């Protein structure tokens, strides 16, 4: 367990430090995306910024709302979903690449416990984390350091990002006034419910296959 906690807090500290160091970059992104640009230029900028969310302090919720407002519900959702999923995949492979270095500081027993713990609760954690800044990047990295398969990570990341992308794109496309607190609650609750339902369905199907 201490292995997972160490890696998780290490990632969180690293991400927060990046936000503090490049705070002006977040403001620059917001200003440039709000300025008058062609759809093609906006699309390239938005996709690039969100795909780099693992490394840079990207205002992802703002971008997803703007995607819905500027590109519409369908294309806004597709843009947010594909770019944020790419960022998560990048974070996963960063964790997988760094895994041998973390293993040097922990025993095989602790590694086995971490793998088992993440096997039980990691799927839902991956899904829910996509609704929360910092946690999304941290959980993606942590997942890469465990034995979870890329296929499983991709499935639950896709699900979590899809829920978040649809809600933000919808709000950007149809809402004139947005209550950020209410939006956050909506995104988290929806992600938790859908992630839980999908996990139950997959476990039920697995039991049927084994019997």
């Amino acid at each position: 367990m201490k292995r997972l906690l160490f890696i998780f807090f290490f990632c969180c500290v690293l991400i927060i430090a990046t936000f503090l160091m490049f705070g002006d970059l977040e403001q620059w992104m917001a200003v440039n995306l709000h300025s008058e640009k062609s759809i093609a230029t906006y699309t390239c900028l938005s996709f690039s910024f969100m795909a780099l969310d693992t490394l840079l302090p990207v205002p992802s919720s703002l971008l997803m709302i703007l995607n819905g407002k500027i590109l519409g519900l369908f294309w806004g959702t597709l843009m947010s979903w594909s770019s944020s999923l790419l960022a998560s995949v990048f974070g996963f492979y960063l964790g997988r690449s760094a895994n041998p270095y973390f293993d040097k500081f922990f025993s095989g027993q602790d590694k086995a416990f971490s793998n088992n713990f993440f096997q039980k609760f990691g799927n839902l954690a991956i899904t829910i984390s996509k609704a929360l800044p910092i946690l999304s990047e941290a959980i993606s990295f942590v997942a890469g350091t465990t034995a979870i398969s890329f296929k499983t990570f991709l499935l639950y990341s896709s699900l979590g990002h899809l829920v978040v992308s649809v809600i933000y794109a919808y709000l950007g496309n149809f809402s004139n006034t947005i209550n950020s607190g209410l939006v956050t609650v909506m995104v988290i609750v929806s992600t938790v419910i859908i992630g839980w339902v999908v996990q139950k369905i997959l476990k039920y199907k697995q039991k049927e296959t084994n019997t």
Side-chain angles (χ1 to χ4, degrees):
M1 182 57 142
K2 61 182 180 181
R3 182 178 185 273
L4 283 179
L5 290 174
F6 174 83
I7 297 172
F8 175 75
F9 284 118
F10 171 81
C11 292
C12 288
V13 170
L14 196 62
I15 293 166
I16 292 171
T18 304
F19 270 67
L20 294 175
M21 289 173 61
F22 298 97
D24 293 339
L25 182 61
E26 183 175 349
Q27 186 178 3
W28 180 86
M29 289 180 186
V31 169
N32 276 271
L33 286 168
H34 274 296
S35 61
E36 294 297 325
K37 293 184 181 297
S38 68
I39 294 296
T41 303
Y42 170 84
T43 301
C44 290
L45 284 173
S46 178
F47 186 88
S48 300
F49 288 157
M50 291 196 66
L52 292 172
D53 193 20
T54 303
L55 300 176
L56 297 174
V58 175
S60 55
S61 57
L62 169 65
L63 288 181
M64 286 188 278
I65 290 172
L66 284 175
N67 287 342
K69 182 178 180 180
I70 295 173
L71 302 176
L73 178 60
F74 176 78
W75 292 110
T77 297
L78 184 61
M79 166 68 71
S80 298
W81 176 77
S82 58
S83 55
S84 55
L85 182 59
L86 181 60
S88 288
V89 169
F90 182 60
F92 178 86
Y93 275 107
L94 278 179
R96 190 128 292 182
S97 300
N99 195 31
Y101 299 100
F102 288 114
D103 284 345
K104 294 178 181 179
F105 301 98
F106 298 96
S107 65
Q109 184 180 4
D110 194 53
K111 182 180 178 180
F113 180 86
S114 298
N115 288 333
N116 292 333
F117 183 86
F118 206 83
Q119 197 71 32
K120 291 180 181 178
F121 305 104
N123 296 341
L124 193 58
I126 290 169
T127 308
I128 297 171
S129 71
K130 303 312 171 188
L132 300 167
I134 299 177
L135 284 183
S136 177
E137 296 88 346
I139 293 295
S140 295
F141 186 91
V142 171
T145 66
T146 68
I148 188 172
S149 68
F150 174 70
K151 182 179 178 181
T152 301
F153 172 80
L154 187 63
L155 170 64
Y156 285 95
S157 292
S158 299
L159 178 65
H161 281 305
L162 181 61
V163 175
V164 174
S165 299
V166 169
I167 293 176
Y168 277 121
Y170 178 85
L171 291 171
N173 194 33
F174 295 107
S175 299
N176 293 322
T177 57
I178 298 173
N179 185 315
S180 59
L182 180 60
V183 171
T184 303
V185 172
M186 287 173 57
V187 170
I188 293 173
V189 171
S190 300
T191 307
V192 170
I193 293 173
I194 294 175
W196 181 81
V197 170
V198 170
Q199 191 170 28
K200 287 294 182 182
I201 292 173
L202 291 176
K203 283 185 177 180
Y204 178 76
K205 287 184 176 180
Q206 188 176 11
K207 284 183 179 179
E208 281 192 332
T209 305
N210 294 334
T211 54

